[in-house]
Amino acid sequence: MKKIILMKFTVFLLFTTLCFSDSIFAQIQRRQFIKSADSLISLRLPDIAPGAVVLVAEKDKVIYKKAFGQSDIKSGKAMKTTDIFRIGSVGKQFTAVAILQLIEQGKLGLNDSIQRFVPDYPWKGHTITIAHLLSQTSGIRNYLELETDAKPEDINHYSPKQVIDVFKKEPLLFVPGTTFQYSNSNYFLLGYMIEKVSGLPYKDYLLEQLITKAGLKSTFYIDPERPDSRRPTPYSRFNGKLEDAELQPVNLTYGAGALESTADDLLNWHQALYSGKLIKPETLKLAVTAYKLADGSDSEYGLGWFIKKLDGAPTLEHSGSTDGYQTDIVYLPTQDIYVVTLFNCYESDMDWQVLTNDLSRLAMGKSITAVVQLTVEQLKPFTGTYEVFAGTVNHQIRITLEGITLFAEALNPNDRLPKVALYAEKENKFYMKEAPLRFEFVKDEATGIYKLVTYNNRGKDAEWKKL
């Protein structure tokens, strides 16, 4: 009898010791992450913004929350973790969830045409559905890229319908459902449909059905007249020069991104979604699943979320870039890690998103890519023009060398790759900051000629032959 009791006690002691060891190991990992994150942000932030707020949560528990730098340069006011930022296109998640709520209520359907709610919207020879708008596959041009003869002072007071009237006559860029192309017009239309279906102004619907239900205390539809000392001063950086930002009028962002929030509230928003407070789990699953294009292939977007991978790990993410502020969110569902970064500056390159991705890597326990400095002699063999054929379309990339920096530029304007700098992570492997695109130069040992292999966030993209 004593032997059995002793055995039970030994097993219990072993189990307790293992749990204690796991706890100690987790604490050590967390301390290492905090130290690495502090160092990384302090190093990178000066090239991104005057200040930032960063939050990282694992399994709904906040493991990192800090403010860095300045909220206002002139006064020297320090950034605080409770500060409120314009979140730009991250607000598309709110618009998408509002539409999905109305679908659950049977008030509209994913396959409904937009003319059901905007009767005077031209048909253009193709049916454009709610699903096309949500998935960014409608082919409708981005209204923020259009030119108009109207005076700015008039446009800045346009109603939603007046803004829609500006872009509704534009021809479609492609047949709806065949291609993913990000367009703010899609979510502007969805905001207008929420009003038509619910009978409430867009901002009131969000307040009643999303913000209040999710328990968000510091998330608002932007009202510049509403005083709040927690708003950091907005800045912009062009050609390396920091200057005060002129903010976009709220009426021009609307359903595409007219919200402001805090790091804590964005985590609360995430938790409310996954707890079923706002939409059913099966509806959320649909929203965070890659949309199927007409040819059966997966898009890189769901219904309000980008569907990507980070070093092979699946991610659900969205960024928000608006005059004066930039926000980035990466959720790693397999690891249940949620990363939020908020900056009080608009910058044209993607350093802010690279930082968010690197913080996500650190949170997963991975190392981050270090930039390798190469010589002119090492870089020069990579220069030249490379081409690949996709069907009947000829694509070309020109690789040039300026000083000790390689640059890549697409010669086909439809490829939408302007001249950008490449950063070396190995002697023959490079990445760019503007998009998740990587470049590998592979030498043919028989001929000594290099080919170019490109990779996107889903893996190998194409092999390019040197001309």
Side-chain angles (χ1 to χ4, degrees):
M1 186 68 176
K2 291 181 180 180
K3 185 176 182 180
I4 293 174
I5 293 173
L6 181 62
M7 286 178 64
K8 287 182 178 179
F9 178 75
T10 303
V11 171
F12 173 75
L13 182 62
L14 176 62
F15 175 75
T16 304
T17 303
L18 287 172
C19 290
F20 181 73
S21 297
D22 286 344
S23 176
I24 293 295
F25 181 67
Q27 290 177 29
I28 293 172
Q29 280 188 317
R30 188 165 298 176
R31 284 198 294 267
Q32 289 175 339
F33 166 71
I34 292 172
K35 183 178 179 180
S36 297
D38 285 349
S39 176
L40 181 67
I41 297 166
S42 298
L43 177 67
R44 302 265 191 90
L45 185 60
D47 292 328
I48 300 173
V53 174
V54 177
L55 180 148
V56 181
E58 183 178 15
K59 295 179 174 60
D60 286 340
K61 183 177 181 180
V62 176
I63 62 172
Y64 188 90
K65 184 173 68 172
K66 291 189 178 183
F68 295 83
Q70 296 177 321
S71 169
D72 180 76
I73 296 175
K74 292 178 182 178
S75 67
K77 182 181 178 181
M79 191 72 76
K80 296 181 179 179
T81 59
T82 54
D83 281 349
I84 297 175
F85 297 73
R86 291 194 180 200
I87 60 173
S89 288
V90 171
K92 287 182 172 64
Q93 294 181 2
F94 289 74
T95 301
V97 171
I99 289 290
L100 293 170
Q101 284 181 336
L102 295 171
I103 289 173
E104 286 186 344
Q105 296 165 19
K107 295 180 178 179
L108 52 77
L110 276 175
N111 295 320
D112 286 348
S113 70
I114 63 176
Q115 284 80 12
R116 178 181 170 188
F117 311 100
V118 192
D120 64 344
Y121 199 93
W123 279 89
K124 305 178 189 292
H126 300 281
T127 299
I128 304 173
T129 67
I130 302 296
H132 291 147
L133 299 180
L134 285 168
S135 62
Q136 303 275 16
T137 61
S138 71
I140 298 173
R141 289 192 63 185
N142 185 353
Y143 69 94
L144 291 177
E145 297 175 355
L146 298 177
E147 294 184 2
T148 175
D149 294 331
K151 297 178 180 179
E153 57 266 30
D154 293 331
I155 296 174
N156 294 349
H157 293 92
Y158 272 8
S159 69
K161 185 61 171 64
Q162 285 176 302
V163 175
I164 293 171
D165 287 341
V166 169
F167 66 80
K168 72 179 184 182
K169 297 176 183 178
E170 294 290 323
L172 293 177
L173 297 173
F174 50 83
V175 176
T178 63
T179 303
F180 164 81
Q181 185 161 324
Y182 193 87
S183 173
N184 288 294
S185 300
N186 293 320
Y187 277 74
F188 199 99
L189 278 165
L190 290 169
Y192 184 68
M193 291 176 189
I194 290 168
E195 294 196 359
K196 289 295 183 182
V197 174
S198 70
L200 293 172
Y202 171 75
K203 64 179 182 179
D204 290 347
Y205 183 92
L206 293 193
L207 177 62
E208 291 183 17
Q209 300 301 322
L210 299 181
I211 294 171
T212 301
K213 287 186 176 181
L216 310 184
K217 305 299 184 184
S218 297
T219 299
F220 309 98
Y221 189 87
I222 298 168
D223 178 3
E225 302 301 320
R226 183 182 66 82
D228 199 317
S229 60
R230 293 180 295 167
R231 288 193 187 113
T233 300
Y235 298 94
S236 295
R237 189 192 302 275
F238 296 104
N239 299 318
K241 182 181 178 182
L242 200 66
E243 56 190 54
D244 291 340
E246 184 177 345
L247 299 178
Q248 288 175 306
V250 180
N251 71 306
L252 296 183
T253 52
Y254 189 54
L259 297 180
E260 57 184 359
S261 189
T262 63
D264 282 323
D265 260 14
L266 289 172
L267 175 60
N268 292 337
W269 164 253
H270 168 78
Q271 292 171 337
L273 281 172
Y274 280 83
S275 67
K277 287 183 180 180
L278 303 174
I279 52 176
K280 298 174 183 177
E282 55 267 32
T283 304
L284 178 60
K285 184 178 180 180
L286 176 67
V288 298
T289 300
Y291 184 77
K292 289 287 184 184
L293 300 175
D295 64 0
S297 63
D298 285 342
S299 172
E300 61 183 271
Y301 206 78
L303 308 180
W305 279 261
F306 278 96
I307 317 298
K308 297 185 179 183
K309 287 186 177 180
L310 182 64
D311 299 343
T315 66
L316 304 172
E317 52 188 275
H318 217 295
S319 60
S321 187
T322 184
D323 296 340
Y325 301 95
Q326 289 179 311
T327 301
D328 200 16
I329 295 176
V330 174
Y331 176 53
L332 298 141
T334 304
Q335 296 83 0
D336 199 5
I337 293 172
Y338 189 77
V339 182
V340 180
T341 56
L342 300 155
F343 306 97
N344 63 331
C345 183
Y346 170 87
E347 59 154 354
S348 56
D349 64 26
M350 306 302 286
D351 285 340
W352 53 296
Q353 290 187 335
V354 173
L355 175 57
T356 314
N357 287 340
D358 281 345
L359 286 168
S360 301
R361 290 184 175 98
L362 291 176
M364 287 191 289
K366 295 186 175 184
S367 59
I368 59 176
T369 301
V371 177
V372 177
Q373 296 297 329
L374 301 178
T375 66
V376 171
E377 289 72 22
Q378 290 174 301
L379 295 169
K380 195 170 182 179
F382 304 144
T383 61
T385 300
Y386 299 78
E387 73 171 2
V388 67
F389 282 86
T392 60
V393 181
N394 175 254
H395 302 271
Q396 292 187 349
I397 289 181
R398 179 189 293 136
I399 305 296
T400 56
L401 179 62
E402 296 180 16
I404 56 170
T405 303
L406 278 184
F407 289 84
E409 179 181 12
L411 301 184
N412 184 337
N414 292 328
D415 290 337
R416 301 193 303 278
L417 179 62
K419 187 176 180 180
V420 295
L422 300 184
Y423 300 85
E425 53 183 303
K426 291 185 178 179
E427 287 189 10
N428 68 325
K429 293 184 178 181
F430 299 78
Y431 67 94
M432 55 187 286
K433 294 181 178 180
E434 288 75 9
L437 191 63
R438 281 177 149 72
F439 301 75
E440 180 182 14
F441 296 93
V442 181
K443 186 177 182 180
D444 185 318
E445 295 301 332
T447 64
I449 298 174
Y450 282 91
K451 69 178 178 180
L452 172 62
V453 183
T454 52
Y455 302 85
N456 57 30
N457 55 32
R458 286 182 281 184
K460 187 175 179 179
D461 175 48
E463 289 192 11
W464 306 68
K465 180 182 177 181
K466 192 172 186 179
L467 296 180

